[in-house]
Amino acid sequence: MTDAAAQGVHRARYRRILSFAGREFVKIWWFELVLPRFGMSGISERTRGPRMQRFARRFHLLAVELGGLMIKVGQFMSSRLDVLPPEITKELEGLQDEVPAVPTPAIRALAEAELGIPLERAYAWFDDTPVAAASLGQVHRARLSELDAADTGLDEVVVKVQRPGIDEIVAVDLAALRRVARWLTRVRIVADRVDAPALVEEFAATSLEEIDYLHEAASAERFRENFADDPRVDTPEIVWERSTRRVLTLSDVTAIKINDTEALRAAGIDPSEVAAVFAEVMFDQVFTHSFVHADPHPGNIFVTPVPSVAGGGGRNFRLTFIDFGMMAEIPVSLRGGLRTLLIAVAGRDSRGLVAAAQEIGVLLPSADTAELERALTTLFARFGGMGFAELSKVDPREFRDFAEEFGDMVRSLPLQLPENMLLLIRAVSLTSGMCSGLDPSFNVWDAAEPYAGRLLRDESGNVLQAFASQAMGTMKTTWRLPGRIDDIITRIDDGNVSFDTSRLERRLDRLEGIARRIASGVLFAAMLIGGALLVPSVPPLGITLICVSVLPLLHSLFAGVGRRPR
């Protein structure tokens, strides 16, 4: 295709996206703004659900036809439960990269241009039939040359090659999306709910990282280092000598797809155990490593059978993650809020959950949270602690009515998603769906509670440390108080002061006794609380602290009882 022809195709693509958005804006303007002004808001409300569904279907067809970033946009929209109605998110949640493979000659030409040598020299064998084809690239199996195999210790590999011209397509799509975002800023009902230009820029940053295979390779190595000593997790090795920005070569780790329950059972692997380990690993990524695989769909996770001894803990499998183009890094500012959130959810604490949402930045401080707290209390009381199997037995009408009421209330609040939260929500959503598919009785509360307990102990330890530090400071002050008092009295006695200090001495002596009893009381409280917190994890030390705390308690209660006042 000539440059002029390519530019014509790109202009047509740009106009196609904008014309679709323009038509949809006209419909929204008519039904949501014009009709209510003429007293016909009932028509708008009655038709809103079907209209949203039809819009989602039309966008689904457009995304599949155009490919490129449009499929990613649909997947992005499907996770925006805070902004978009369920009619849209439900329709788009199953949107996949439904695109035809690029012809082999074009793939070969791009790979050879990137690697700088013919494929016959780069690989001993290269399969022209792709293993998978997506909107941004496709994957082929290959075998390393003898020299590369000797250097790397690898033989069978897979090669990811970008679709030719994808850089230009991404640029066109982002230009169209930025134009649409500027339109959205002029629609008040949208502008009040979401910062569209900021969302597009966040999406653009993620998309540009995803088409940079060197960035993906670096993420893969970081993920591998995080789980280097963990027998539950494996990742492919990168062949850096055969990798560039548009070509990525890595070890072939293909095994059983995580959602292939029949193959798992045939290999002697329990799908419910896979679900439990998968949830544990995802929680570890969030709360231990703060670096999360944000696209854990079934095509990106394999279950590799291993001998039970090598698997650790009696397991006969490990989870193998691939495709690290979409990762969520959790900054320190977000990490504390997520800990608070998990503890609140595990404790069914509606007020704590609202506080966590405000700490994270999802819920603006100006929000009226009283109604949200009441709704969360009802949610925990009715559905809290239920697994997916139990939820499936709930009357669908009850669940639907509650979901609609709760969803409408949440969407009426001033919500926003801070940076990196979108990818994290996507990861959590995919994890939840995967685990329930593997084990219908899977209960996300059971998976979360051990982490919540550990985090709670960590938080308690921090509180105890701060309390103990304060108590020690108080004790040092009170313990030095008698010496200071004595020093003052000595200075008075050495002078020529003629007044009687006996009354002052008695009062100071009494103050000294009170100070020592207060110090004993503080020490007793610190030791008792510390011991109680340590009993679950370190029983001997916790019990010892509780027992020893009796000594300062006795001093606090009975010190000075038998003394005669002077």
Side-chain angles (χ1 to χ4, degrees):
M1 183 183 297
T2 64
D3 290 343
Q7 290 178 3
V9 170
H10 293 156
R11 282 195 297 270
R13 181 185 182 91
Y14 181 81
R15 289 194 296 268
R16 178 82 183 276
I17 296 171
L18 291 185
S19 63
F20 175 87
R23 288 194 302 271
E24 298 304 324
F25 282 161
V26 169
K27 294 173 185 176
I28 293 173
W29 172 77
W30 176 257
F31 282 97
E32 302 296 339
L33 298 177
V34 175
L35 291 183
R37 288 188 178 182
F38 289 93
M40 292 182 284
S41 57
I43 297 175
S44 174
E45 294 174 2
R46 188 167 59 252
T47 62
R48 185 175 292 120
R51 282 190 290 110
M52 294 297 100
Q53 286 182 331
R54 287 194 294 271
F55 160 77
R57 292 193 189 105
R58 287 192 296 269
F59 183 85
H60 191 141
L61 293 174
L62 176 75
V64 171
E65 182 179 346
L66 292 182
L69 283 188
M70 289 300 102
I71 288 178
K72 301 296 180 185
V73 170
Q75 295 171 342
F76 181 92
M77 291 167 63
S78 71
S79 63
R80 291 314 305 253
L81 303 176
D82 61 319
V83 176
L84 298 175
E87 292 83 2
I88 294 178
T89 57
K90 185 68 176 176
E91 177 67 29
L92 297 178
E93 68 181 6
L95 185 61
Q96 300 295 330
D97 284 330
E98 306 164 22
V99 295
V102 177
T104 301
I107 286 292
R108 281 181 165 269
L110 187 147
E112 290 177 347
E114 281 292 304
L115 296 174
I117 56 175
L119 284 187
E120 289 75 13
R121 288 179 54 194
Y123 306 99
W125 169 74
F126 185 89
D127 190 357
D128 288 336
T129 303
V131 177
S135 57
L136 303 182
Q138 61 191 49
V139 181
H140 294 256
R141 280 196 172 91
R143 187 180 304 114
L144 291 179
S145 64
E146 291 186 6
L147 182 60
D148 287 341
D151 287 342
T152 62
L154 303 174
D155 184 20
E156 303 293 332
V157 294
V158 294
V159 184
K160 287 183 66 173
V161 185
Q162 277 188 11
R163 297 179 79 90
I166 193 63
D167 284 344
E168 292 80 4
I169 291 174
V170 168
V172 169
D173 290 354
L174 289 178
L177 291 173
R178 289 184 174 107
R179 182 80 174 271
V180 172
R182 289 196 296 272
W183 291 352
L184 286 172
T185 59
R186 300 174 185 175
V187 182
R188 184 173 179 180
I189 59 174
V190 176
D192 288 346
R193 298 287 298 119
V194 64
D195 185 350
L199 278 181
V200 169
E201 292 308 318
E202 181 183 348
F203 176 74
T206 302
S207 301
L208 293 174
E209 287 180 353
E210 197 169 354
I211 61 173
D212 183 353
Y213 286 168
L214 291 179
H215 182 272
E216 177 180 344
S219 296
E221 293 225 324
R222 177 178 172 182
F223 189 92
R224 185 179 181 85
E225 290 173 2
N226 287 344
F227 290 94
D229 300 321
D230 193 330
R232 302 171 300 170
V233 180
D234 194 18
T235 56
E237 296 183 47
I238 307 299
V239 183
W240 288 100
E241 295 80 1
R242 294 290 177 259
S243 297
T244 69
R245 183 177 174 275
R246 294 181 176 86
V247 175
L248 177 62
T249 304
L250 56 163
S251 59
D252 188 355
V253 292
T254 306
I256 304 171
K257 276 191 175 184
I258 191 171
N259 65 338
D260 190 347
T261 54
E262 292 185 5
L264 291 174
R265 292 191 180 95
I269 298 172
D270 183 1
S272 61
E273 188 177 359
V274 173
V277 173
F278 179 52
E280 289 175 4
V281 170
M282 294 304 294
F283 275 118
D284 277 345
Q285 292 175 43
V286 175
F287 293 107
T288 301
H289 304 295
S290 301
F291 191 60
V292 185
H293 194 299
D295 197 22
H297 64 72
N300 285 341
I301 304 169
F302 297 112
V303 179
T304 306
V306 295
S308 57
V309 175
R315 298 189 190 94
N316 60 344
F317 67 90
R318 64 173 175 261
L319 299 175
T320 303
F321 287 75
I322 64 171
D323 194 349
F324 300 91
M326 192 182 296
M327 304 295 293
E329 185 158 8
I330 304 174
V332 176
S333 58
L334 183 59
R335 206 175 305 158
L338 290 175
R339 289 192 176 102
T340 306
L341 180 70
L342 180 61
I343 292 170
V345 170
R348 320 294 194 264
D349 179 6
S350 57
R351 179 169 296 181
L353 189 55
V354 170
Q358 291 175 325
E359 182 180 352
I360 291 171
V362 172
L363 189 62
L364 297 182
S366 60
D368 181 6
T369 60
E371 188 64 29
L372 178 59
E373 286 185 22
R374 284 194 293 270
L376 288 171
T377 300
T378 304
L379 174 68
F380 285 137
R382 180 65 186 91
F383 305 112
M386 286 188 177
F388 292 99
E390 294 172 289
L391 287 173
S392 65
K393 298 175 183 177
V394 175
D395 186 342
R397 290 171 297 181
E398 177 190 1
F399 198 72
R400 182 179 61 251
D401 292 343
F402 184 87
E404 290 178 357
E405 181 181 352
F406 186 77
D408 291 341
M409 187 271 299
V410 169
R411 280 188 289 275
S412 68
L413 293 169
L415 299 175
Q416 63 179 5
L417 284 183
E419 188 179 358
N420 295 318
M421 272 297 290
L422 179 66
L423 292 178
L424 185 59
I425 289 174
R426 175 180 172 82
V428 170
S429 175
L430 290 172
T431 300
S432 176
M434 185 90 73
C435 290
S436 61
L438 289 167
D439 180 10
S441 63
F442 177 80
N443 191 331
V444 69
W445 310 109
D446 293 339
E449 281 177 344
Y451 285 86
R454 188 186 71 189
L455 293 172
L456 186 58
R457 286 194 297 274
D458 292 344
E459 293 296 322
S460 300
N462 293 335
V463 172
L464 176 62
Q465 185 177 4
F467 181 75
S469 177
Q470 185 176 3
M472 288 299 295
T474 303
M475 283 197 306
K476 287 179 181 178
T477 301
T478 54
W479 212 260
R480 288 198 303 267
L481 186 59
R484 291 186 176 184
I485 294 171
D486 184 67
D487 185 53
I488 292 171
I489 295 173
T490 301
R491 286 203 300 267
I492 293 174
D493 287 342
D494 290 342
N496 297 319
V497 181
S498 60
F499 58 84
D500 183 13
T501 62
S502 59
R503 183 177 300 176
L504 177 62
E505 289 179 16
R506 287 195 298 272
R507 289 183 178 180
L508 291 176
D509 187 49
R510 193 178 304 117
L511 179 61
E512 175 185 347
I514 293 172
R516 291 187 183 277
R517 293 173 66 186
I518 290 173
S520 295
V522 172
L523 182 60
F524 159 72
M527 296 176 71
L528 180 64
I529 294 172
L533 291 172
L534 288 173
V535 165
S537 54
V538 191
L541 180 57
I543 294 171
T544 301
L545 277 176
I546 292 174
C547 293
V548 174
S549 69
V550 173
L551 298 178
L553 173 62
L554 294 175
H555 180 267
S556 176
L557 294 176
F558 302 108
V561 171
R563 296 177 59 184
R564 293 181 179 179
R566 292 189 296 172

